[in-house]
Amino acid sequence: MPDNKVCFDAPRLRVENLSYSYVSGKKAVENIFLDISGGEVFGLLGANGAGKTTTMKLVSGILGLQEGTVMSCGIGLGDDPVGYKKLIAYVPDEPVFYDNMSVGGHLDFICNIFSIGIEERKRNIAMLSGKLGLSDLMGKRISVLSRGMRQKLSLLTALVHDPELLILDEPLTALDPLSSDQVKALIRSFADSGGAVLLSTHMLEAAEQLCSRIGIISSGRLLDVASADELAERGSLKEYFLSVAYDGV
């Protein structure tokens, strides 16, 4: 888990004037500003097509930046993409693996990419797999895993190198209640240890449980940001979300 040796007091994520257009010229993301500090779980909520996934792909470096800046711990994605990507981890809504690899082989492959030593990788894999209920699957081929197990493996993969920023796009999809609780507990533990989380989910109850702040995005624009305390004063998250996401356009 993060130990704050890299970031100190710098935001785990700083986004300034982020905009992105499709080839057609239509704006997918427009003029987004966002800061997320260590210890925060920031929920990015919006209807289908609102710009959530595009924003996350831009912040993770999967899509190339067109306008604006993205930084983690003071390191810019545009200026130092390798240094930036060492600090973050991205979990897509539909994870992709080399299906013929074993679970353990896949994790060793990821650890090799990040030059994680043998003892550290053993410790990290044992701790994370235990929390996610994956300890007995190390010898299994990924091809035999259920969608829910693949989702949990994707989270384990993201956390094994101790990132400072965790970017999660619908991480609770396809999870049974026990697995959902395991994943939520791990997300909360990651933030409690000083990491930052950018979370997209359609599960409003989970967002209420996890998020310290929530932003509503619609038509590529970040319309409003509210803290957990502010949300409590406004009533239910569902009512707030519906009023801003659909009436605020």
Side-chain angles (χ1 to χ4, degrees):
M1 295 296 178
D3 56 13
N4 301 328
K5 292 180 180 178
V6 177
C7 277
F8 298 99
D9 294 326
R12 301 311 190 269
L13 178 65
R14 170 161 287 168
V15 175
E16 297 181 346
N17 197 34
L18 184 66
S19 297
Y20 186 86
S21 299
Y22 297 122
V23 175
S24 65
K26 180 182 177 181
K27 285 279 189 184
V29 172
E30 186 173 1
N31 198 34
I32 288 182
F33 288 79
L34 181 63
D35 269 12
I36 305 177
S37 300
E40 278 198 283
V41 179
F42 185 97
L44 186 64
L45 307 185
N48 291 333
K52 302 186 302 298
T53 294
T54 300
T55 299
M56 292 193 155
K57 287 183 176 180
L58 288 166
V59 168
S60 65
I62 292 175
L63 288 177
L65 293 178
Q66 293 178 344
E67 300 178 54
T69 59
V70 176
M71 304 181 74
S72 179
C73 303
I75 297 176
L77 172 58
D79 298 327
D80 184 2
V82 174
Y84 173 90
K85 290 177 182 178
K86 286 180 179 179
L87 299 175
I88 73 163
Y90 172 59
V91 177
D93 57 343
E94 294 189 10
V96 177
F97 301 98
Y98 293 110
D99 280 354
N100 287 329
M101 294 184 77
S102 68
V103 171
H106 162 77
L107 293 171
D108 274 333
F109 171 65
I110 297 300
C111 289
N112 288 338
I113 290 175
F114 286 96
S115 300
I116 300 173
I118 298 299
E119 293 305 316
E120 182 181 1
R121 77 175 61 182
K122 285 181 179 179
R123 183 172 61 252
N124 288 356
I125 291 172
M127 183 269 292
L128 292 166
S129 62
K131 290 185 175 182
L132 290 170
L134 298 176
S135 300
D136 295 334
L137 299 179
M138 292 297 129
K140 298 284 188 180
R141 289 187 183 274
I142 295 175
S143 59
V144 306
L145 299 185
S146 67
R147 186 181 178 190
M149 287 295 185
R150 292 166 71 95
Q151 193 73 18
K152 291 199 289 183
L153 177 58
S154 184
L155 181 59
L156 196 164
T157 301
L159 289 172
V160 75
H161 75 282
D162 291 334
E164 297 284 349
L165 171 66
L166 187 58
I167 304 165
L168 303 174
D169 194 359
E170 298 291 346
L172 303 174
T173 302
L175 297 184
D176 59 47
L178 174 60
S179 295
S180 180
D181 284 347
Q182 290 171 333
V183 167
K184 285 186 286 187
L186 194 54
I187 292 170
R188 188 67 264 164
S189 174
F190 175 80
D192 288 343
S193 70
V197 181
L198 176 60
L199 167 71
S200 169
T201 179
H202 284 114
M203 299 178 182
L204 299 185
E205 182 180 353
E208 283 185 302
Q209 293 171 351
L210 288 170
C211 298
S212 48
R213 286 191 298 152
I214 286 176
I216 308 297
I217 188 171
S218 180
S219 299
R221 293 177 289 125
L222 191 60
L223 299 180
D224 194 23
V225 175
S227 69
D229 290 340
E230 289 171 330
L231 287 173
E233 294 175 358
R234 297 182 189 186
S236 74
L237 175 57
K238 181 179 180 180
E239 291 176 354
Y240 167 68
F241 170 68
L242 291 175
S243 67
V244 175
Y246 293 96
D247 298 335
V249 179

